[in-house]
Amino acid sequence: MAAAGTAGASREMTETAESENVALVRRYFDLLDGRVAGDISELFAADAQLYIPTFGIIHGAGTFAELSSGVAQRAKVRHSTHHVDEFNVIEHGDTIVVEGTSEGETVNGQRWDGRKTIGGRFCNVFEVRHGRIARLHVYVDPDFCREDTAR
């Protein structure tokens, strides 16, 4: 009986403990949303691969700052935040998949909340190598408020 209780306690501890890789991914979202201060590019490996819709695939941690400024210039988003506490996180080895939602506002004043609207739902696939993000592919429809009616 004692062994069964111990096994249950051990299983519970494992399920609630967060791996270093998942903690790294959560830090990425905290930095991205501005909940904590820091340089987000420091989370990436020097030869990181990033895929973001409308930008394609880019390489290198140094290009993250360039990408961020390009995103800001092309942005249709005034502000956004991710619902980190509601993420569906799947970890398999060094791969972390995050399915989640965000909310925010476009520069035109339109609001979205992925918990209630089509816009703001996303899935990101991270690969971690030596404590850094080596690959990040972002899968999201960048038309958060369904403003792209021409297509």
Side-chain angles (χ1 to χ4, degrees):
M1 282 273 218
T6 305
S10 175
R11 188 175 68 96
E12 181 179 308
M13 185 181 299
T14 302
E15 289 175 354
T16 59
E18 185 172 89
S19 75
E20 290 180 19
N21 289 348
V22 172
L24 175 70
V25 167
R26 287 190 190 278
R27 179 153 175 79
Y28 163 83
F29 283 103
D30 286 342
L31 287 164
L32 186 66
D33 290 349
R35 284 184 290 279
V36 298
D39 181 359
I40 199 166
S41 65
E42 292 179 359
L43 301 181
F44 289 86
D47 61 345
Q49 179 188 85
L50 302 159
Y51 165 75
I52 299 177
T54 71
F55 287 94
I57 296 176
I58 61 172
H59 296 274
T63 60
F64 194 84
E66 180 183 323
L67 175 67
S68 295
S69 67
V71 168
Q73 290 171 5
R74 289 192 198 168
K76 296 180 180 183
V77 174
R78 178 173 290 135
H79 63 83
S80 69
T81 188
H82 296 83
H83 305 127
V84 177
D85 293 340
E86 300 171 16
F87 282 175
N88 182 17
V89 178
I90 300 167
E91 182 175 18
H92 181 73
D94 290 335
T95 301
I96 297 94
V97 178
V98 176
E99 178 186 39
T101 58
S102 67
E103 67 181 283
E105 181 179 2
T106 68
V107 294
N108 297 334
Q110 302 245 357
R111 297 195 52 76
W112 79 87
D113 183 339
R115 296 171 293 192
K116 302 172 189 167
T117 62
I118 294 171
R121 296 166 189 258
F122 70 91
C123 186
N124 289 1
V125 179
F126 296 83
E127 288 181 16
V128 177
R129 182 178 65 238
H130 307 298
R132 302 267 189 217
I133 299 168
R135 178 180 173 271
L136 167 57
H137 285 206
V138 176
Y139 300 98
V140 65
D141 181 350
D143 185 16
F144 295 106
C145 293
R146 313 305 278 175
E147 296 175 318
D148 185 6
T149 57
R151 289 187 264 179

